[in-house]
Amino acid sequence: MSRPRAAILGCAGPDLTPDERAFFRDVDPLGYILFARNVDTPERTRRLVEDLRSAVARADAPVLIDQEGGRVARLRPPHWRKVPPARLLGELYARDPERGLEATRLNSRLLAADVATVGCDVDCLPVLDIAFPETHAVIGDRAYADRPEPVAALGRAAAEGLLAEGVMPVIKHIPGHGRATVDSHHALPTVSAPRDLLERTDFLPFKLLSDLPWAMTGHLLFEAIDPAACITVSARGVQEVIRGHIGFDGLLLSDDLSMQALGGSLGDRARRALAAGCDVALHCNGQMNEMVEIATQTGPMTEAAGQRFDAGRGFLARHRDPAGKAGLADAGRRLASLLPEWG
């Protein structure tokens, strides 16, 4: 059986068009990602997800969403709950670690339940970037804390909550976006910190959570790692740091290739990311001309990537422990008692 294309793609709106359906059928991407432009009512969004999977004739094609909480939430009231940002959970952890971990785990169970209402099965969470004084606002309160150990502990709790409810977590932005002083959506951040410092700080949360099945790269250039290339398209960065020092051997996604941190054509970005060692090229904006270009430079997933994907499915199955309707209701009440300031 042939493997799907090493790409995860988006679509333009809340309904799948005939042209999109035909394109996805022909190129057979591994899966999809939803953004706010794709989200309407739960029923309409669920129908979109069903149509996306139908286009590739794979009912289990992964469908991703960025449902972190705070500013980064594609599912919002009135149909879904308002979700606290990571920083608020980190502040609770700083006051009371046990309660902070419990709140984070409960919050992620509820996040998983929300994304499952539309059929998504992958949530691009937890963010393991550290909040430094210079950290750009694009990360801001998406970071749990300003030290690696709390970030790792809270990230682990967040991943556990998602896994328990049957949703795949994605650790990001490996090997660490915290020192970026510009927004990688618009420009390439350059980090000049020495490697030994990076290994003690930025890289450490990812190393501590390297057993998790999926990760997403950060679009940054680390001068101490590869002064010529952004991590996403750097073989040295992927092999020496992500696979080597950090020890991550799960499915590695590029961050969104349409972000302006990366130069060159869209096809060139996809080709370079896969050549560097990313398993899957991620493209999010749903623009057909760009997706066509991505498709010309991506082939089927490699055998190693397929094995990592399958291993991730097994990992998820082993950790699934759903709370059920009553248990989720209890989780909501308990989370409200732990975070009364959130409401």
Side-chain angles (χ1 to χ4, degrees):
M1 183 177 178
S2 62
R3 289 185 290 271
R5 189 174 300 269
I8 288 172
L9 304 173
C11 63
D15 302 297
L16 193 63
T17 68
D19 285 347
E20 288 172 334
R21 184 185 300 275
F23 172 74
F24 293 141
R25 180 195 63 222
D26 291 343
V27 305
D28 191 26
L30 171 65
Y32 306 96
I33 187 165
L34 298 191
F35 274 73
R37 65 179 184 271
N38 307 120
V39 174
D40 188 43
T41 64
E43 296 77 15
R44 189 178 184 186
T45 309
R46 186 163 53 247
R47 184 168 62 248
L48 172 63
V49 170
E50 291 169 354
D51 287 345
L52 288 166
R53 289 183 168 128
S54 175
V56 293
R58 281 184 282 114
D60 62 349
V63 180
L64 289 63
I65 194 166
D66 291 294
Q67 189 70 5
E68 298 175 12
R71 292 175 292 121
V72 180
R74 315 308 182 197
L75 307 177
R76 293 178 176 269
H79 298 296
W80 297 276
R81 70 190 183 99
K82 186 180 178 184
V83 185
R87 179 178 294 168
L88 193 62
L89 296 163
E91 289 170 351
L92 176 59
Y93 179 89
R95 299 191 300 271
D96 187 326
E98 186 175 340
R99 289 164 65 88
L101 292 175
E102 181 186 4
T104 303
R105 200 172 290 112
L106 292 170
N107 182 61
S108 284
R109 277 192 179 268
L110 296 167
L111 281 171
D114 281 345
V115 303
T117 64
V118 298
C120 291
D121 57 355
V122 181
D123 191 355
C124 300
L125 178 78
V127 174
L128 299 185
D129 306 319
I130 297 170
F132 295 104
E134 69 269 27
T135 299
H136 190 275
V138 72
I139 298 299
D141 65 1
R142 300 165 67 191
Y144 290 110
D146 58 3
R147 294 183 295 113
E149 293 83 4
V151 168
L154 290 160
R156 174 72 68 184
E160 288 171 351
L162 293 176
L163 288 162
E165 293 298 323
V167 170
M168 182 70 76
V170 183
I171 57 174
K172 63 183 188 185
H173 304 84
I174 197 169
H177 206 292
R179 293 185 193 272
T181 58
V182 299
D183 183 348
S184 54
H185 291 87
H186 305 299
L188 176 62
T190 298
V191 175
S192 59
R195 181 162 177 166
D196 62 338
L197 177 60
L198 293 168
E199 291 180 353
R200 294 196 308 271
T201 55
D202 306 55
F203 301 170
L204 183 55
F206 296 95
K207 190 177 182 70
L208 294 172
L209 272 68
S210 62
D211 60 305
L212 292 178
W214 284 38
M216 181 187 296
T217 65
H219 293 330
L220 299 94
L221 186 148
F222 291 90
E223 292 178 344
I225 306 302
D226 187 341
C230 168
I231 281 287
T232 301
V233 295
S234 167
R236 185 183 306 165
V238 172
Q239 303 306 327
E240 288 188 13
V241 175
I242 295 175
R243 300 297 191 195
H245 172 76
I246 289 173
F248 177 74
D249 193 36
L251 191 76
L252 184 63
L253 281 58
S254 73
D255 201 349
D256 180 11
L257 295 177
S258 63
M259 292 165 63
Q260 297 309 305
L262 301 175
S265 68
L266 270 295
D268 182 58
R269 296 175 192 182
R271 179 188 57 77
R272 292 176 66 204
L274 296 177
C278 291
D279 294 309
V280 179
L282 174 66
H283 181 269
C284 297
N285 68 23
Q287 294 184 19
M288 180 61 74
N289 62 320
E290 294 190 6
M291 294 193 295
V292 168
E293 191 175 350
I294 294 284
T296 65
Q297 296 297 320
T298 53
M301 293 172 68
T302 65
E303 183 177 354
Q307 290 173 350
R308 290 175 178 130
F309 178 77
D310 292 342
R313 281 278 168 87
F315 187 99
L316 179 62
R318 291 192 300 275
H319 288 80
R320 192 168 183 271
D321 184 23
K325 187 174 181 180
L328 289 171
D330 287 342
R333 288 189 289 269
R334 176 60 178 160
L335 180 62
S337 73
L338 291 167
L339 291 175
E341 67 272 35
W342 183 248

